[in-house]
Amino acid sequence: IRIDPASVDGAFYLAYASQQLHQYAPMVAAFDLVQPATPVDREQVTTGRLAYRAVADPALRPQALAALKSLSGHQSNVDVAGNLIQMYSSLGEHAAVLPLLETFCPANPTACSDLAISPMYTALRADPRFQKLVKKYNTVTVQ
């Protein structure tokens, strides 16, 4: 974020890391650290902030899911698609993650190289469709 304050991906990485540590205030505050340059990036930041607030406060979940649905109109943008995957996963919406991965991985195979070990996908591990993606794109394995 210090190198490129306009890059919204930094906020998403920081928010996810904070969620894994159960640090909810920094998770939401991550989105205050970036200065999005485009309308789509501003929408991603707004949606990200709301989605991660909903992680901490489930009463916000319906609003967050509505914002994610709206942002899904931009999922042909691989950056947006990756962030949608992260937000849906963070909210436990695993049914929405798999179809996104099935279109995201062919467009951005290097981003799918850690499917077998990323904690983001733990809930999907038993799904045969997910296992097929792991077999095709995974380059990182547990020894």
Side-chain angles (χ1 to χ4, degrees):
I1 294 171
R2 285 186 204 123
I3 294 168
D4 184 2
S7 174
V8 299
D9 289 342
F12 282 96
Y13 292 134
L14 186 56
Y16 184 74
S18 296
Q19 180 186 13
Q20 297 307 299
L21 296 169
H22 305 284
Q23 296 177 349
Y24 297 116
M27 177 181 70
V28 174
F31 296 97
D32 297 332
L33 302 173
V34 295
Q35 300 162 358
T38 69
V40 171
D41 284 351
R42 284 190 287 279
E43 185 178 355
Q44 286 192 88
V45 166
T46 300
T47 302
R49 185 180 291 113
L50 179 57
Y52 280 99
R53 284 181 58 214
V55 167
D57 180 0
L60 296 172
R61 189 179 186 83
Q63 294 163 273
L65 292 173
L68 283 165
K69 185 176 180 179
S70 176
L71 184 61
S72 292
H74 301 287
Q75 73 185 31
S76 62
N77 174 321
V78 294
D79 293 328
V80 173
N83 292 331
L84 283 166
I85 289 166
Q86 181 182 321
M87 288 183 281
Y88 277 120
S89 182
S90 292
L91 287 167
E93 293 290 323
H94 306 295
V97 173
L98 193 54
L100 282 167
L101 280 172
E102 289 175 326
T103 57
F104 176 75
C105 289
N108 199 3
T110 58
C112 294
S113 66
D114 68 343
L115 293 175
I117 62 168
S118 175
M120 191 178 304
Y121 308 116
T122 301
L124 297 174
R125 299 246 195 282
D127 189 301
R129 290 168 45 200
F130 182 77
Q131 291 173 2
K132 184 178 175 183
L133 289 170
V134 169
K135 194 175 235 181
K136 184 171 184 176
Y137 296 103
N138 186 63
T139 60
V140 179
T141 56
V142 178
Q143 300 296 330

